[in-house]
Amino acid sequence: MNVITNLLSAIEGRTGIEPTPFSSKNIASLPCISYTAYRQGDNAVVESWRFQLRFTAETLAKAVELEEQVADLLVSLGDLADFGALRIEINGGGALEDPETGLPQLLTYYDITTKS
């Protein structure tokens, strides 16, 4: 789980926004970044994690801007390991209007590979 802690610190350092776990129902201020993380697999040598980020902002353009900042930070370049991960790559996402708040949201899914 150290890799997730490292990623959250890096995201806050890059954006100035502290990511919050799980829900976007109690947004204190905009823009907002929320996350979920879980281990997908572990073969005692390599772990695989799924890390979802949800960017909420007043406009979709602002959410996209934040998402691009974070993607530029996190996605692995070639075989360069960073943040305690062997590899970080985007594997899906989407855009939606949050039914609770009516605000645009952008979701991005990351696959993270680390040593066990």
Side-chain angles (χ1 to χ4, degrees):
M1 187 74 168
N2 278 343
V3 69
I4 302 302
T5 303
N6 294 345
L7 296 177
L8 295 173
S9 294
I11 291 167
E12 183 175 3
R14 171 66 63 97
T15 65
I17 300 168
E18 180 181 2
T20 57
F22 303 109
S23 179
S24 61
K25 290 181 183 176
N26 299 321
I27 296 173
S29 63
L30 290 175
C32 171
I33 302 172
S34 59
Y35 71 93
T36 60
Y38 61 89
R39 188 173 19 206
Q40 295 184 113
D42 186 346
N43 65 9
V45 176
V46 175
E47 289 180 346
S48 174
W49 287 82
R50 176 67 121 177
F51 185 53
Q52 175 192 304
L53 294 176
R54 181 182 299 250
F55 301 88
T56 306
E58 291 177 349
T59 66
L60 183 57
K62 180 62 178 173
V64 168
E65 178 184 318
L66 279 172
E67 191 277 338
E68 288 175 347
Q69 285 180 359
V70 172
D72 288 346
L73 173 70
L74 298 186
V75 173
S76 299
L77 179 61
D79 62 352
L80 300 175
D82 209 354
F83 307 110
L86 299 173
R87 180 141 190 86
I88 302 172
E89 55 192 356
I90 294 175
N91 186 7
L96 57 94
E97 179 182 58
D98 183 282
E100 296 282 326
T101 63
L103 294 168
Q105 295 187 333
L106 189 62
L107 285 79
T108 305
Y109 301 103
Y110 291 87
D111 287 334
I112 303 167
T113 306
T114 66
K115 293 180 182 178
S116 287

